[in-house]
Amino acid sequence: MPPEQPHSPRRAGPRKARVPQTARLPRRAARARPWTASRGRAAAALAARERAELARGVRFRSAYLTIMGVVLAVAALNVLLGAFGLVRETRSRPLTDAERARYVAQDVARRWRAWPAGMVFPEELPYTGLGRTQQYARRVGIAPEAACGSVVDAPVAPVLGEHGCRTLLRATYVDQTATFAVTVGVAVMPSEDARADAAADLPVDDRVGVRPVAFPGTVTDSFGAAQRQRTGWVGAGPYIVFLTVGYTDGRTRASVPLEEQVNSEMWPLAQTLAGRIARALGEPPDVPRCTQGNAC
């Protein structure tokens, strides 16, 4: 008989629990590794997309810069043209005939309100008396500015109103001997043409015109409508300068004989005073040669 094989005794200790097959954890699936060629194609596609987007951005930027360049160029051209036009308009140059005429008309037309009252109606005015002696009429007073129709006679008022009379200024003078009183009235018309048209329509009657202005406490105290001996007018620029003259002692026109109504000194005095005031208002001013003075 074959000899018995010695057998070693089992080590004592706790036995490991046998895990059943069904309870074992499944193994992780192995990751799929892309091929080297696939990675290369993906990188190439990505690079192509990036290049396409970059090219599109470059095109958009170029278009934007082109548009902005055009806008800036147009703006710069407009600024240059505007600056050139401004320099051309503001630089000194000789006045044209039309500009000279307009300058004169505007200067004359604003004198009635631009000048002080003492320039429109000077305190003293020279005239030639009997024997061709130089004498001076003295201003007694200046009446307040009035509406045209309120200080003229009825036949004259509608004519002034029809042609746009703006206002009427009046002052009264006496001669050097205080024998005669003269009221001078300045009717302000819109233009020289309006003045000429109104003058053509005024009644030819030396008994109507501007009403006299009397100043209480002076030698003209009794100078009224009944005392005026004669009326008239003279034109200058946009102004109709009326005049009315009479005695300071209260004599009426009806009380003076017909042969004395045309006094050899009274009427020339009135014409001289009205004419001097009209000439001063309508005298053309000195016109500069250029738009910015006399230096072009």
Side-chain angles (χ1 to χ4, degrees):
M1 290 181 70
E4 291 181 0
Q5 295 290 332
H7 68 229
S8 54
R10 294 182 179 177
R11 295 181 180 178
R15 292 185 179 180
K16 295 181 178 179
R18 182 176 297 177
V19 181
Q21 292 292 332
T22 57
R24 291 180 182 176
L25 297 173
R27 295 181 180 179
R28 292 181 179 178
R31 291 182 179 178
R33 297 181 179 179
W35 294 92
T36 304
S38 299
R39 288 199 299 271
R41 285 194 297 273
L46 180 60
R49 284 198 302 273
E50 291 178 350
R51 285 194 298 271
E53 291 177 358
L54 180 61
R56 186 164 57 251
V58 169
R59 288 196 299 272
F60 289 160
R61 180 180 175 82
S62 299
Y64 173 78
L65 293 177
T66 300
I67 294 173
M68 289 303 297
V70 171
V71 171
L72 292 176
V74 172
L77 180 61
N78 287 336
V79 170
L80 290 175
L81 291 176
F84 176 76
L86 180 63
V87 170
R88 184 177 180 181
E89 287 297 322
T90 57
R91 68 182 176 87
S92 184
R93 58 171 177 77
L95 290 174
T96 64
D97 292 340
E99 289 172 332
R100 292 175 64 87
R102 185 164 58 250
Y103 180 94
V104 171
Q106 291 175 350
D107 185 90
V108 170
R110 62 171 171 258
R111 288 177 180 172
W112 70 273
R113 63 174 181 272
W115 285 5
M119 285 187 65
V120 178
F121 299 114
E123 186 175 354
E124 288 187 342
L125 287 172
Y127 70 97
T128 302
L130 293 178
R132 303 193 63 82
T133 58
Q134 181 74 36
Q135 298 188 15
Y136 291 89
R138 177 176 54 87
R139 188 189 69 211
V140 178
I142 299 175
E145 182 180 336
C148 298
S150 65
V151 292
V152 296
D153 294 305
V156 178
V159 176
L160 297 181
E162 180 183 352
H163 293 283
C165 181
R166 294 176 175 176
T167 190
L168 206 146
L169 316 174
R170 292 181 300 166
T172 296
Y173 291 82
V174 293
D175 69 320
Q176 190 162 308
T177 63
T179 302
F180 308 114
V182 182
T183 292
V184 180
V186 178
V188 181
M189 307 303 292
S191 65
E192 188 169 352
D193 290 339
R195 185 267 299 167
D197 293 340
D201 294 338
L202 287 175
V204 183
D205 187 347
D206 67 356
R207 294 170 298 175
V208 297
V210 68
R211 293 174 185 165
V213 179
F215 292 90
T218 69
V219 294
T220 65
D221 196 359
S222 60
F223 182 45
Q227 283 72 39
R228 59 183 174 182
Q229 301 296 313
R230 194 172 180 183
T231 64
W233 58 267
V234 60
Y239 308 107
I240 299 177
V241 181
F242 291 95
L243 62 143
T244 186
V245 61
Y247 292 99
T248 57
D249 59 5
R251 277 181 280 180
T252 64
R253 176 169 175 144
S255 66
V256 178
L258 183 62
E259 61 273 11
E260 294 182 16
Q261 288 181 2
V262 184
N263 186 284
S264 60
E265 188 174 10
M266 180 177 63
W267 184 238
L269 163 70
Q271 287 181 308
T272 299
L273 299 188
R276 286 188 178 277
I277 291 173
R279 281 194 299 273
L281 285 170
E283 183 179 6
D286 293 332
V287 182
R289 294 193 308 108
C290 310
T291 56
Q292 296 182 7
N294 290 320
C296 298

